[in-house]
Amino acid sequence: MTQSGALNELVERTVEGMGYEFVELERLARGLVRVTIDTTAEGGISLEDCERVSDQLTHLFTVEDIPYERLEVSSPGVERPLKRARDWDRFAGELAHVELFAPLHAEGFPEAGRRKLDGRIISIEGESGAETITFDFFEVFIARTPTAAVTALRGRRKKTAEVPPVRVTFPLSDVDNAHLLAELNFKG
């Protein structure tokens, strides 16, 4: 196992032993170690949760003699990354953005296929290491600001017919990058 893989497993065991969900570990420039945690509890991750995990990881890194300059512990945010099969299973039914390593060819796509997909996670099935994701691809209108929300609604009203989603399947191993798409409500 690589040094990075061993650190990943060590941090994952520690975070999950504290009752949190380990999302990812990143080693970045200038000695920054970023750890992302989550929870299934109502209310999500608080600042106190991040401080608690940070204190524990600081002690762990000292005991294990792991070199780092800075440690950052945070929540995944509203556009949470989808890294493991259990993430896809947990968020079935949610909107997501997916980037594949190679273009996917399916009926309803241009001849060249698509590498980037927005749509809804339907399910994930299969044995560990050979999971297949079922995904409904369609044009997603996500408002990032109140002005964009109004513009998107006006643009949607002008459309005469809704285009049905294109259902596709692809192996989890073909996913380069994926994250949830946040549906923000600006109506107040």
Side-chain angles (χ1 to χ4, degrees), residues 100 103-117 135-138 165-168 170:
L100 303 170
L104 178 68
H105 301 282
E107 191 173 320
F109 284 173
E111 277 186 37
R114 293 191 67 103
R115 196 179 78 74
K116 296 181 180 183
L117 309 170
F135 191 83
D136 276 354
F137 163 75
F138 54 91
V166 176
R167 180 147 298 171
V168 296
F170 48 86

PDB file of all heavy atoms in Angstrom, residues 100 103-117 135-138 165-168 170:
ATOM      1  N   LEU A 100     -17.071  11.633 -16.682  1.00  0.00           N
ATOM      2  CA  LEU A 100     -16.516  10.310 -16.944  1.00  0.00           C
ATOM      3  C   LEU A 100     -15.120  10.439 -17.552  1.00  0.00           C
ATOM      4  O   LEU A 100     -14.778  11.466 -18.129  1.00  0.00           O
ATOM      5  CB  LEU A 100     -17.434   9.545 -17.901  1.00  0.00           C
ATOM      6  CG  LEU A 100     -18.881   9.382 -17.430  1.00  0.00           C
ATOM      7  CD1 LEU A 100     -19.748   8.825 -18.551  1.00  0.00           C
ATOM      8  CD2 LEU A 100     -18.943   8.482 -16.210  1.00  0.00           C
ATOM      9  N   PRO A 103     -15.963   9.459 -23.131  1.00  0.00           N
ATOM     10  CA  PRO A 103     -17.352   9.726 -23.506  1.00  0.00           C
ATOM     11  C   PRO A 103     -18.215   8.468 -23.457  1.00  0.00           C
ATOM     12  O   PRO A 103     -17.777   7.372 -23.817  1.00  0.00           O
ATOM     13  CB  PRO A 103     -17.241  10.248 -24.938  1.00  0.00           C
ATOM     14  CG  PRO A 103     -15.852  10.741 -25.065  1.00  0.00           C
ATOM     15  CD  PRO A 103     -15.024   9.859 -24.173  1.00  0.00           C
ATOM     16  N   LEU A 104     -19.438   8.651 -23.013  1.00  0.00           N
ATOM     17  CA  LEU A 104     -20.426   7.581 -22.942  1.00  0.00           C
ATOM     18  C   LEU A 104     -21.281   7.654 -24.191  1.00  0.00           C
ATOM     19  O   LEU A 104     -21.744   8.733 -24.568  1.00  0.00           O
ATOM     20  CB  LEU A 104     -21.289   7.774 -21.688  1.00  0.00           C
ATOM     21  CG  LEU A 104     -22.418   6.799 -21.451  1.00  0.00           C
ATOM     22  CD1 LEU A 104     -21.846   5.411 -21.133  1.00  0.00           C
ATOM     23  CD2 LEU A 104     -23.273   7.263 -20.289  1.00  0.00           C
ATOM     24  N   HIS A 105     -21.482   6.540 -24.837  1.00  0.00           N
ATOM     25  CA  HIS A 105     -22.309   6.488 -26.041  1.00  0.00           C
ATOM     26  C   HIS A 105     -23.637   5.850 -25.665  1.00  0.00           C
ATOM     27  O   HIS A 105     -23.669   4.746 -25.132  1.00  0.00           O
ATOM     28  CB  HIS A 105     -21.618   5.689 -27.145  1.00  0.00           C
ATOM     29  CG  HIS A 105     -20.289   6.262 -27.511  1.00  0.00           C
ATOM     30  ND1 HIS A 105     -20.161   7.375 -28.303  1.00  0.00           N
ATOM     31  CD2 HIS A 105     -19.037   5.906 -27.160  1.00  0.00           C
ATOM     32  CE1 HIS A 105     -18.871   7.674 -28.439  1.00  0.00           C
ATOM     33  NE2 HIS A 105     -18.167   6.796 -27.744  1.00  0.00           N
ATOM     34  N   ALA A 106     -24.728   6.564 -25.930  1.00  0.00           N
ATOM     35  CA  ALA A 106     -26.056   6.045 -25.621  1.00  0.00           C
ATOM     36  C   ALA A 106     -27.056   6.643 -26.590  1.00  0.00           C
ATOM     37  O   ALA A 106     -26.824   7.708 -27.173  1.00  0.00           O
ATOM     38  CB  ALA A 106     -26.439   6.410 -24.190  1.00  0.00           C
ATOM     39  N   GLU A 107     -28.180   5.958 -26.764  1.00  0.00           N
ATOM     40  CA  GLU A 107     -29.238   6.459 -27.619  1.00  0.00           C
ATOM     41  C   GLU A 107     -29.737   7.779 -27.032  1.00  0.00           C
ATOM     42  O   GLU A 107     -29.989   7.887 -25.835  1.00  0.00           O
ATOM     43  CB  GLU A 107     -30.377   5.447 -27.679  1.00  0.00           C
ATOM     44  CG  GLU A 107     -31.384   5.773 -28.744  1.00  0.00           C
ATOM     45  CD  GLU A 107     -32.419   4.679 -28.896  1.00  0.00           C
ATOM     46  OE1 GLU A 107     -32.041   3.494 -28.830  1.00  0.00           O
ATOM     47  OE2 GLU A 107     -33.593   5.027 -29.061  1.00  0.00           O
ATOM     48  N   GLY A 108     -29.825   8.805 -27.876  1.00  0.00           N
ATOM     49  CA  GLY A 108     -30.236  10.123 -27.409  1.00  0.00           C
ATOM     50  C   GLY A 108     -29.064  11.074 -27.252  1.00  0.00           C
ATOM     51  O   GLY A 108     -29.261  12.261 -27.028  1.00  0.00           O
ATOM     52  N   PHE A 109     -27.828  10.557 -27.355  1.00  0.00           N
ATOM     53  CA  PHE A 109     -26.627  11.398 -27.281  1.00  0.00           C
ATOM     54  C   PHE A 109     -26.126  11.640 -28.699  1.00  0.00           C
ATOM     55  O   PHE A 109     -26.378  10.844 -29.594  1.00  0.00           O
ATOM     56  CB  PHE A 109     -25.507  10.683 -26.524  1.00  0.00           C
ATOM     57  CG  PHE A 109     -25.691  10.642 -25.025  1.00  0.00           C
ATOM     58  CD1 PHE A 109     -24.822   9.901 -24.259  1.00  0.00           C
ATOM     59  CD2 PHE A 109     -26.689  11.321 -24.385  1.00  0.00           C
ATOM     60  CE1 PHE A 109     -24.954   9.834 -22.891  1.00  0.00           C
ATOM     61  CE2 PHE A 109     -26.846  11.273 -23.018  1.00  0.00           C
ATOM     62  CZ  PHE A 109     -25.976  10.525 -22.268  1.00  0.00           C
ATOM     63  N   PRO A 110     -25.367  12.716 -28.895  1.00  0.00           N
ATOM     64  CA  PRO A 110     -24.719  12.902 -30.198  1.00  0.00           C
ATOM     65  C   PRO A 110     -23.776  11.725 -30.483  1.00  0.00           C
ATOM     66  O   PRO A 110     -23.392  11.010 -29.563  1.00  0.00           O
ATOM     67  CB  PRO A 110     -23.917  14.193 -30.023  1.00  0.00           C
ATOM     68  CG  PRO A 110     -24.359  14.805 -28.745  1.00  0.00           C
ATOM     69  CD  PRO A 110     -25.055  13.757 -27.952  1.00  0.00           C
ATOM     70  N   GLU A 111     -23.400  11.546 -31.745  1.00  0.00           N
ATOM     71  CA  GLU A 111     -22.534  10.419 -32.138  1.00  0.00           C
ATOM     72  C   GLU A 111     -21.261  10.328 -31.321  1.00  0.00           C
ATOM     73  O   GLU A 111     -20.803   9.248 -30.995  1.00  0.00           O
ATOM     74  CB  GLU A 111     -22.180  10.528 -33.629  1.00  0.00           C
ATOM     75  CG  GLU A 111     -23.245   9.975 -34.531  1.00  0.00           C
ATOM     76  CD  GLU A 111     -22.791   9.980 -35.971  1.00  0.00           C
ATOM     77  OE1 GLU A 111     -21.605   9.716 -36.245  1.00  0.00           O
ATOM     78  OE2 GLU A 111     -23.641  10.235 -36.822  1.00  0.00           O
ATOM     79  N   ALA A 112     -20.672  11.475 -30.966  1.00  0.00           N
ATOM     80  CA  ALA A 112     -19.410  11.468 -30.228  1.00  0.00           C
ATOM     81  C   ALA A 112     -19.594  11.057 -28.768  1.00  0.00           C
ATOM     82  O   ALA A 112     -18.634  10.749 -28.083  1.00  0.00           O
ATOM     83  CB  ALA A 112     -18.771  12.855 -30.292  1.00  0.00           C
ATOM     84  N   GLY A 113     -20.827  11.056 -28.297  1.00  0.00           N
ATOM     85  CA  GLY A 113     -21.075  10.696 -26.904  1.00  0.00           C
ATOM     86  C   GLY A 113     -20.914  11.891 -25.975  1.00  0.00           C
ATOM     87  O   GLY A 113     -20.657  13.008 -26.411  1.00  0.00           O
ATOM     88  N   ARG A 114     -21.075  11.627 -24.692  1.00  0.00           N
ATOM     89  CA  ARG A 114     -20.951  12.683 -23.688  1.00  0.00           C
ATOM     90  C   ARG A 114     -20.046  12.211 -22.574  1.00  0.00           C
ATOM     91  O   ARG A 114     -20.133  11.074 -22.132  1.00  0.00           O
ATOM     92  CB  ARG A 114     -22.312  13.037 -23.100  1.00  0.00           C
ATOM     93  CG  ARG A 114     -23.243  13.694 -24.095  1.00  0.00           C
ATOM     94  CD  ARG A 114     -24.441  14.254 -23.384  1.00  0.00           C
ATOM     95  NE  ARG A 114     -24.055  15.355 -22.533  1.00  0.00           N
ATOM     96  CZ  ARG A 114     -24.241  16.636 -22.826  1.00  0.00           C
ATOM     97  NH1 ARG A 114     -24.773  16.969 -23.969  1.00  0.00           N
ATOM     98  NH2 ARG A 114     -23.893  17.574 -21.972  1.00  0.00           N
ATOM     99  N   ARG A 115     -19.209  13.118 -22.097  1.00  0.00           N
ATOM    100  CA  ARG A 115     -18.326  12.828 -20.973  1.00  0.00           C
ATOM    101  C   ARG A 115     -18.850  13.482 -19.701  1.00  0.00           C
ATOM    102  O   ARG A 115     -18.608  13.004 -18.601  1.00  0.00           O
ATOM    103  CB  ARG A 115     -16.912  13.329 -21.289  1.00  0.00           C
ATOM    104  CG  ARG A 115     -15.847  12.772 -20.387  1.00  0.00           C
ATOM    105  CD  ARG A 115     -14.475  13.262 -20.749  1.00  0.00           C
ATOM    106  NE  ARG A 115     -14.182  14.607 -20.307  1.00  0.00           N
ATOM    107  CZ  ARG A 115     -13.933  14.964 -19.047  1.00  0.00           C
ATOM    108  NH1 ARG A 115     -13.949  14.078 -18.108  1.00  0.00           N
ATOM    109  NH2 ARG A 115     -13.665  16.209 -18.753  1.00  0.00           N
ATOM    110  N   LYS A 116     -19.591  14.584 -19.836  1.00  0.00           N
ATOM    111  CA  LYS A 116     -20.142  15.304 -18.692  1.00  0.00           C
ATOM    112  C   LYS A 116     -21.662  15.171 -18.718  1.00  0.00           C
ATOM    113  O   LYS A 116     -22.299  15.461 -19.730  1.00  0.00           O
ATOM    114  CB  LYS A 116     -19.732  16.776 -18.733  1.00  0.00           C
ATOM    115  CG  LYS A 116     -18.234  16.961 -18.601  1.00  0.00           C
ATOM    116  CD  LYS A 116     -17.850  18.417 -18.629  1.00  0.00           C
ATOM    117  CE  LYS A 116     -16.341  18.558 -18.497  1.00  0.00           C
ATOM    118  NZ  LYS A 116     -15.920  19.950 -18.444  1.00  0.00           N
ATOM    119  N   LEU A 117     -22.203  14.754 -17.576  1.00  0.00           N
ATOM    120  CA  LEU A 117     -23.636  14.509 -17.479  1.00  0.00           C
ATOM    121  C   LEU A 117     -24.208  15.215 -16.253  1.00  0.00           C
ATOM    122  O   LEU A 117     -23.625  15.152 -15.172  1.00  0.00           O
ATOM    123  CB  LEU A 117     -23.915  13.006 -17.323  1.00  0.00           C
ATOM    124  CG  LEU A 117     -23.284  12.042 -18.315  1.00  0.00           C
ATOM    125  CD1 LEU A 117     -23.467  10.614 -17.848  1.00  0.00           C
ATOM    126  CD2 LEU A 117     -23.911  12.229 -19.680  1.00  0.00           C
ATOM    127  N   PHE A 135     -28.461   6.200 -14.191  1.00  0.00           N
ATOM    128  CA  PHE A 135     -28.508   7.662 -14.113  1.00  0.00           C
ATOM    129  C   PHE A 135     -29.441   8.194 -15.180  1.00  0.00           C
ATOM    130  O   PHE A 135     -29.398   7.737 -16.323  1.00  0.00           O
ATOM    131  CB  PHE A 135     -27.083   8.178 -14.336  1.00  0.00           C
ATOM    132  CG  PHE A 135     -26.867   9.630 -14.047  1.00  0.00           C
ATOM    133  CD1 PHE A 135     -26.638  10.071 -12.753  1.00  0.00           C
ATOM    134  CD2 PHE A 135     -26.853  10.561 -15.075  1.00  0.00           C
ATOM    135  CE1 PHE A 135     -26.404  11.409 -12.478  1.00  0.00           C
ATOM    136  CE2 PHE A 135     -26.616  11.898 -14.812  1.00  0.00           C
ATOM    137  CZ  PHE A 135     -26.395  12.329 -13.512  1.00  0.00           C
ATOM    138  N   ASP A 136     -30.309   9.141 -14.836  1.00  0.00           N
ATOM    139  CA  ASP A 136     -31.160   9.811 -15.821  1.00  0.00           C
ATOM    140  C   ASP A 136     -30.508  11.135 -16.191  1.00  0.00           C
ATOM    141  O   ASP A 136     -30.408  12.045 -15.359  1.00  0.00           O
ATOM    142  CB  ASP A 136     -32.564  10.072 -15.253  1.00  0.00           C
ATOM    143  CG  ASP A 136     -33.480   8.873 -15.392  1.00  0.00           C
ATOM    144  OD1 ASP A 136     -33.077   7.883 -16.015  1.00  0.00           O
ATOM    145  OD2 ASP A 136     -34.612   8.940 -14.865  1.00  0.00           O
ATOM    146  N   PHE A 137     -30.049  11.230 -17.440  1.00  0.00           N
ATOM    147  CA  PHE A 137     -29.410  12.443 -17.945  1.00  0.00           C
ATOM    148  C   PHE A 137     -30.487  13.364 -18.512  1.00  0.00           C
ATOM    149  O   PHE A 137     -31.357  12.944 -19.270  1.00  0.00           O
ATOM    150  CB  PHE A 137     -28.403  12.083 -19.045  1.00  0.00           C
ATOM    151  CG  PHE A 137     -27.996  13.250 -19.887  1.00  0.00           C
ATOM    152  CD1 PHE A 137     -27.120  14.203 -19.397  1.00  0.00           C
ATOM    153  CD2 PHE A 137     -28.505  13.415 -21.174  1.00  0.00           C
ATOM    154  CE1 PHE A 137     -26.755  15.293 -20.168  1.00  0.00           C
ATOM    155  CE2 PHE A 137     -28.143  14.500 -21.948  1.00  0.00           C
ATOM    156  CZ  PHE A 137     -27.264  15.438 -21.439  1.00  0.00           C
ATOM    157  N   PHE A 138     -30.451  14.634 -18.118  1.00  0.00           N
ATOM    158  CA  PHE A 138     -31.326  15.648 -18.692  1.00  0.00           C
ATOM    159  C   PHE A 138     -30.732  17.021 -18.405  1.00  0.00           C
ATOM    160  O   PHE A 138     -29.807  17.144 -17.598  1.00  0.00           O
ATOM    161  CB  PHE A 138     -32.765  15.563 -18.141  1.00  0.00           C
ATOM    162  CG  PHE A 138     -32.868  15.593 -16.639  1.00  0.00           C
ATOM    163  CD1 PHE A 138     -33.018  16.782 -15.954  1.00  0.00           C
ATOM    164  CD2 PHE A 138     -32.828  14.408 -15.909  1.00  0.00           C
ATOM    165  CE1 PHE A 138     -33.123  16.810 -14.575  1.00  0.00           C
ATOM    166  CE2 PHE A 138     -32.937  14.423 -14.526  1.00  0.00           C
ATOM    167  CZ  PHE A 138     -33.079  15.614 -13.858  1.00  0.00           C
ATOM    168  N   PRO A 165     -35.874  12.444 -20.039  1.00  0.00           N
ATOM    169  CA  PRO A 165     -34.493  12.089 -19.681  1.00  0.00           C
ATOM    170  C   PRO A 165     -34.003  10.881 -20.470  1.00  0.00           C
ATOM    171  O   PRO A 165     -34.786  10.062 -20.922  1.00  0.00           O
ATOM    172  CB  PRO A 165     -34.573  11.774 -18.183  1.00  0.00           C
ATOM    173  CG  PRO A 165     -36.003  11.517 -17.899  1.00  0.00           C
ATOM    174  CD  PRO A 165     -36.807  12.223 -18.944  1.00  0.00           C
ATOM    175  N   VAL A 166     -32.683  10.810 -20.615  1.00  0.00           N
ATOM    176  CA  VAL A 166     -32.051   9.659 -21.255  1.00  0.00           C
ATOM    177  C   VAL A 166     -31.476   8.806 -20.136  1.00  0.00           C
ATOM    178  O   VAL A 166     -30.614   9.258 -19.383  1.00  0.00           O
ATOM    179  CB  VAL A 166     -30.917  10.107 -22.221  1.00  0.00           C
ATOM    180  CG1 VAL A 166     -30.200   8.902 -22.808  1.00  0.00           C
ATOM    181  CG2 VAL A 166     -31.470  11.000 -23.315  1.00  0.00           C
ATOM    182  N   ARG A 167     -31.975   7.583 -19.976  1.00  0.00           N
ATOM    183  CA  ARG A 167     -31.486   6.694 -18.922  1.00  0.00           C
ATOM    184  C   ARG A 167     -30.228   5.990 -19.425  1.00  0.00           C
ATOM    185  O   ARG A 167     -30.231   5.372 -20.488  1.00  0.00           O
ATOM    186  CB  ARG A 167     -32.538   5.670 -18.533  1.00  0.00           C
ATOM    187  CG  ARG A 167     -32.013   4.751 -17.444  1.00  0.00           C
ATOM    188  CD  ARG A 167     -33.017   4.265 -16.478  1.00  0.00           C
ATOM    189  NE  ARG A 167     -33.653   5.311 -15.704  1.00  0.00           N
ATOM    190  CZ  ARG A 167     -34.696   5.102 -14.918  1.00  0.00           C
ATOM    191  NH1 ARG A 167     -35.190   3.891 -14.787  1.00  0.00           N
ATOM    192  NH2 ARG A 167     -35.252   6.082 -14.254  1.00  0.00           N
ATOM    193  N   VAL A 168     -29.158   6.114 -18.644  1.00  0.00           N
ATOM    194  CA  VAL A 168     -27.876   5.499 -18.994  1.00  0.00           C
ATOM    195  C   VAL A 168     -27.356   4.709 -17.800  1.00  0.00           C
ATOM    196  O   VAL A 168     -27.748   4.940 -16.656  1.00  0.00           O
ATOM    197  CB  VAL A 168     -26.827   6.559 -19.423  1.00  0.00           C
ATOM    198  CG1 VAL A 168     -27.265   7.273 -20.692  1.00  0.00           C
ATOM    199  CG2 VAL A 168     -26.561   7.562 -18.322  1.00  0.00           C
ATOM    200  N   PHE A 170     -23.468   3.166 -16.297  1.00  0.00           N
ATOM    201  CA  PHE A 170     -22.023   3.175 -16.480  1.00  0.00           C
ATOM    202  C   PHE A 170     -21.384   2.624 -15.219  1.00  0.00           C
ATOM    203  O   PHE A 170     -21.942   2.739 -14.127  1.00  0.00           O
ATOM    204  CB  PHE A 170     -21.496   4.576 -16.813  1.00  0.00           C
ATOM    205  CG  PHE A 170     -22.016   5.663 -15.914  1.00  0.00           C
ATOM    206  CD1 PHE A 170     -21.384   5.960 -14.705  1.00  0.00           C
ATOM    207  CD2 PHE A 170     -23.140   6.391 -16.261  1.00  0.00           C
ATOM    208  CE1 PHE A 170     -21.863   6.957 -13.877  1.00  0.00           C
ATOM    209  CE2 PHE A 170     -23.630   7.398 -15.436  1.00  0.00           C
ATOM    210  CZ  PHE A 170     -22.988   7.675 -14.240  1.00  0.00           C
TER     211      PHE A 170
END
